[in-house]
Amino acid sequence: GAGVSQSPSNKVTEKGKDVELRCDPISGHTALYWYRQSLGQGLEFLIYFQGNSAPDKSGLPSDRFSAERTGGSVSTLTIQRTQQEDSAVYLCASRGRSNEQFFGPGTRLTVL
Amino acid sequence: GNSVTQMEGPVTLSEEAFLTINCTYTATGYPSLFWYVQYPGEGLQLLLKATKADDKGSNKGFEATYRKETTSFHLEKGSVQVSDSAVYFCALSVAGGFKTIFGAGTRLFVKA
């Protein structure tokens, strides 16, 4: 079946603008994760959704970052008033019954 | 707490050389262990996994053995190819836990 998809694949924005990044998880997967990967760095956990439970937001770096998941499926990560240090690849992953995570191709965000 | 430590890169090898990427972990409980691979310009994908002590995960000529006594899960391949050039991430997930903890990643370059 279809894998995890993310859009846009690339986003260039000006400092101070808001951006929205979208993730479509694998159908039926109840868990959804957002990560940030800065150039040459490992994965930084941002936020986790599991079913109808309250999300774990412990990884969000500032209150400019927020995320929601509508209807237990699609998720949107919003970054308000973007800064140059927000430039990174934002990865989404979903998980089914096993502990394996399935990753999307990522959105490369560049803040000028 | 739970953590993963993997060898720093980059690792540069000639084609057909033997590869070892070291990974050690600290975990409460009995973790599942994973190796993910990220090819240039792509998201992460699962390479192999092991769910209990002494299990050996294998895929595409890569293998890793879950060693509880040394808390290790080293990745090996007998003969690397140029196409194996990528970033490799060691990871763990504790049964019942929602987070997968990723290592920092090891970049592998294979020269023809």
Side-chain angles (χ1 to χ4, degrees):
Chain A
V4 178
S5 61
Q6 293 185 244
S7 61
S9 55
N10 280 285
K11 176 71 176 179
V12 180
T13 190
E14 294 179 348
K15 178 181 174 181
K17 300 283 190 181
D18 297 352
V19 295
E20 285 190 352
L21 312 180
R22 176 188 169 102
C23 172
D24 281 90
I26 292 173
S27 178
H29 279 191
T30 57
L32 187 149
Y33 303 77
W34 283 98
Y35 297 90
R36 179 167 69 177
Q37 186 177 30
S38 301
L39 186 62
Q41 301 298 310
L43 292 178
E44 177 186 4
F45 166 79
L46 296 178
I47 189 169
Y48 161 76
F49 295 90
Q50 173 64 59
N52 295 322
S53 301
D56 180 335
K57 306 178 182 179
S58 60
L60 295 179
S62 78
D63 59 8
R64 296 187 295 104
F65 287 72
S66 63
E68 62 178 24
R69 189 178 184 192
T70 53
S73 181
V74 172
S75 178
T76 302
L77 177 69
T78 301
I79 309 173
Q80 295 178 309
R81 306 181 302 282
T82 52
Q83 303 295 312
Q84 289 184 331
E85 61 263 28
D86 299 335
S87 296
V89 175
Y90 289 82
L91 293 169
C92 174
S94 70
R95 177 171 65 88
R97 292 183 178 181
S98 74
N99 284 334
E100 176 185 353
Q101 294 189 23
F102 294 83
F103 284 81
T107 294
R108 182 175 298 279
L109 174 66
T110 303
V111 181
L112 302 177
Chain B
N2 300 321
S3 66
V4 175
T5 303
Q6 60 183 107
M7 64 189 290
E8 288 189 25
V11 174
T12 303
L13 296 173
S14 297
E15 208 165 22
E16 299 183 3
F18 185 86
L19 168 72
T20 300
I21 300 177
N22 290 337
C23 172
T24 57
Y25 67 89
T26 303
T28 54
Y30 301 94
S32 295
L33 301 174
F34 307 84
W35 278 100
Y36 284 82
V37 59
Q38 184 178 32
Y39 297 105
E42 300 182 12
L44 278 72
Q45 57 186 269
L46 181 67
L47 179 60
L48 54 84
K49 66 179 180 182
T51 58
K52 62 183 187 294
D54 299 325
D55 269 2
K56 177 184 285 188
S58 60
N59 187 24
K60 299 181 180 179
F62 291 88
E63 52 183 40
T65 301
Y66 188 141
R67 300 288 188 198
K68 186 178 178 183
E69 63 276 12
T70 54
T71 61
S72 65
F73 192 56
H74 304 322
L75 182 68
E76 296 181 335
K77 186 174 185 181
S79 176
V80 293
Q81 305 300 310
V82 172
S83 57
D84 294 327
S85 297
V87 181
Y88 293 82
F89 292 89
C90 186
L92 71 82
S93 178
V94 179
F98 62 86
K99 278 185 181 176
T100 297
I101 309 298
F102 289 86
T106 302
R107 184 174 296 276
L108 171 66
F109 292 105
V110 181
K111 302 179 298 184

